[in-house]
Amino acid sequence: MTDSSGPAPASEPTITCAGRIRPHSQAHSRAGRLAAALAEAGFGRGDRIALMARNDIEFLEISLAIASAGANPVPINTRWKPAEVGHVLVDSGARLVIAHTEFVPVVEAAQAPQILEIDMPPELLDEANLSAELARPTGRHPLAQEWIDRRAEPLEYIEGAVADSMGLIYSSGTTGAPKGVQRERMTAEQLLAIAGGSAQRMGLTSGGRMLVAGPLYHTSPNAVTVLALRMGTNITIMPRFDAESFLRHIDRGRIQQAKVVPTMLSRLLSLPVEVRARYDTSSLTHLIHSAAPCPPAIKRAAIDWFGSVLWEFYGCTETGSITWISGSEWLDHPGSVGRPVDGAAVVIADERGDRQPTGSTGRVYVRGADYWPSFTYLNRTPDPECVPGMFWAGDLGHLDEDGYLYLTGRSSEVIISGGVNIYPAEIENALLGIDDIEDAAVLGIPDAGDLGEVVAAYLVPRPAAAISEQQIRTALRSQLANYKVPQQIRIVDELPRDDSGKIYKCQPAKKSALERNPHRHCPDASILTQTQLI
């Protein structure tokens, strides 16, 4: 497999993954040559090309190639099964799927119209702990490398291609099958405003050093990494997240920016103190988290460790980032996800659209930043707007007197027990304040009596920790009303979170999905998950 044979000149930024190093100039050249091959094969503006690949240098190159040809990249979650992949291919009308060898059987089973295979380097397989057999392509489809080698020169500049090539991102499927979020064509001014504003808030600079820990198929890591590439930032990509490896990368690479999710913070905090002490993280200027609410106990412990470099933002695929908050601000407003920035707005209203007073819980309606493009759902009729000009992603929360937003949970997750509304996030936060608990999920399960639902908790203990149901209930009763204390508690090895930190919660019929299989979401019940937050 073609790759850089040595380090780039000191002045040139690089992309590093699993020990492979590629200068930006080479990555751009390869992307341009693939774009030329795509154009030669008849792909261009208005076409959609799906990409199912692990975190690797090629993921970035192929994304750039599709955009350079003016087509829309459609990243696919690498955990999805053929039926889920098939839905996206049919719904998006993708004419081509570019996939790592590992995922070719899945894409074939999804009846992809045409497949271009990405061969997997041994270094990637080794770091991702995958079978060395995957280094051999299937032989059933052309290789992306062969298409790159077709052209000696990159594709010439296509006027307006980048403005037309916004990625088509599919939501997590909170209320059924995933929906494609299609953004309007952006002006050059919008593109510059998004790049400038986002780069400044994330601390990205030319020649800086950024670590990618999350999956590139997910909105936020993808957008941040592509932005870093355009900024000339040195990029290190982790094929998969591992807590100690994450710290090692920061120490050895003198990383300045990294993007994580709350689950990653919790796993970092599970490392023994002596392991954490081995690594110098003082080079960090921005350790940014999003994608799911961060329990206050985890957030406070992370601030104690990393300091004021810890930043958080709240938003979603549809509207971009809405609020931001620094570590020091959070200490003054514990539990908040920040205040709106760059012209974005938040309104708390009820189901009729009536605005709620400060401190009252209601639906969190949002509007994107001034420069953020409007969107529609592909092949979907827009929902009526309860609050004109605002979008509701399903979150519940309230605003304080200073305009800081606090998330209470998801409307689909509210437990109704004996006619009383119970918010799982409140109980999960209390559980994660117990030192021996690494992860927690709370949901309602049917009650055999007359309460309708009762509270159930699924817990992952920290390594080597011993926890008992009695210990947990005693700790909770000092913080919560008795009706909020879980009636059922299950200890599990792992919760069904995806790589971006979102947890799958299924509305149980007879048994909960977590009880049936703690490692996969259930196909035979309605999936209640976090919105695809960025």
Side-chain angles (χ1 to χ4, degrees), residues 293-338:
C294 187
I298 301 298
K299 181 70 173 262
R300 190 176 297 276
I303 293 174
D304 289 343
W305 180 3
F306 294 105
S308 61
V309 303
L310 194 69
W311 287 80
E312 178 178 5
F313 68 87
Y314 163 75
C316 54
T317 301
E318 290 86 346
T319 62
S321 60
I322 300 295
T323 67
W324 278 82
I325 190 168
S326 68
S328 57
E329 279 182 289
W330 189 91
L331 292 174
D332 292 330
H333 300 271
S336 173
V337 295

Side-chain angles (χ1 to χ4, degrees), residues 149-160:
D149 292 340
R150 281 185 187 178
R151 300 295 297 255
E153 297 296 330
L155 181 71
E156 294 184 8
Y157 176 72
I158 298 178
E159 183 70 33

